[in-house]
Amino acid sequence: MGTQAVRITCSRLEDLLGKSHAFRQVDPRFYVVRQGSAYVYIHVLPWEGERALVRLVAQLARGVEMTPDLALKLLRINASLRFGSFGWVREGSCVTLQHTLLGAENLDGDEMMGALRDFAVLADEFDDRVVAEAGGKTMQELLAEHELKQLRDAIAGGFDWGSSPKR
């Protein structure tokens, strides 16, 4: 279902973004673009027969205290956005930004780049705003913590901190 459309879409995305130092392919059909402290995930999905979708998602902040005031602010901003809309994922208390474009032959390079640019700048601006207002951590903070933990675990795994070196 949609395999040719997905292949065409992935090829177009890789041609458009492949030279950018901020662009990485994570898995087949799944990419990431970094903008400041925000990470934009790009997922190419099959859709209705021989079509494809390009789904942009940014997890702006996790561990957020969602209040009625914050929810209303995000909804008001949604009404004025050119690309994307804010969302809420209860698991992880995560504020997201998402947008979907048609892929395959419908994927226009200028439209894709314009939408991605606006989307990424918006994600980078609002991840910090959400954290400042409602707590939580940006994806950059979470990834940095994860990398530090992995480094600590790797170092600790190679040494027995409880014994002194043998001479």
Side-chain angles (χ1 to χ4, degrees), residues 67-82:
T67 63
D69 187 49
L70 177 60
L72 287 173
K73 283 180 184 177
L74 294 174
L75 283 171
R76 284 187 194 108
I77 296 167
N78 277 349
S80 64
L81 295 178
R82 284 188 299 236

Side-chain angles (χ1 to χ4, degrees), residues 36-56:
S37 60
Y39 291 83
V40 176
Y41 304 111
I42 304 170
H43 196 182
V44 178
L45 303 163
W47 182 57
E48 292 186 358
E50 217 22 67
R51 294 200 231 171
L53 297 175
V54 178
R55 186 88 169 124
L56 307 177

Side-chain angles (χ1 to χ4, degrees), residues 28-101:
R29 303 184 306 135
F30 188 69
Y31 309 90
V32 66
V33 173
R34 182 173 178 188
Q35 172 71 36
S37 60
Y39 291 83
V40 176
Y41 304 111
I42 304 170
H43 196 182
V44 178
L45 303 163
W47 182 57
E48 292 186 358
E50 217 22 67
R51 294 200 231 171
L53 297 175
V54 178
R55 186 88 169 124
L56 307 177
V57 177
Q59 294 183 36
L60 301 182
R62 286 184 166 267
V64 173
E65 182 184 341
M66 180 55 71
T67 63
D69 187 49
L70 177 60
L72 287 173
K73 283 180 184 177
L74 294 174
L75 283 171
R76 284 187 194 108
I77 296 167
N78 277 349
S80 64
L81 295 178
R82 284 188 299 236
F83 300 104
S85 61
F86 293 104
W88 169 252
V89 179
R90 183 180 306 265
E91 297 79 32
S93 300
C94 184
V95 174
T96 63
L97 182 65
Q98 59 274 324
H99 185 70
T100 304
L101 298 165

Side-chain angles (χ1 to χ4, degrees), residues 35 37-38 60 119-131:
Q35 172 71 36
S37 60
L60 301 182
F119 187 90
V121 167
L122 190 67
D124 185 38
E125 177 183 343
F126 276 91
D127 63 349
D128 295 322
R129 284 175 147 188
V130 167
V131 168

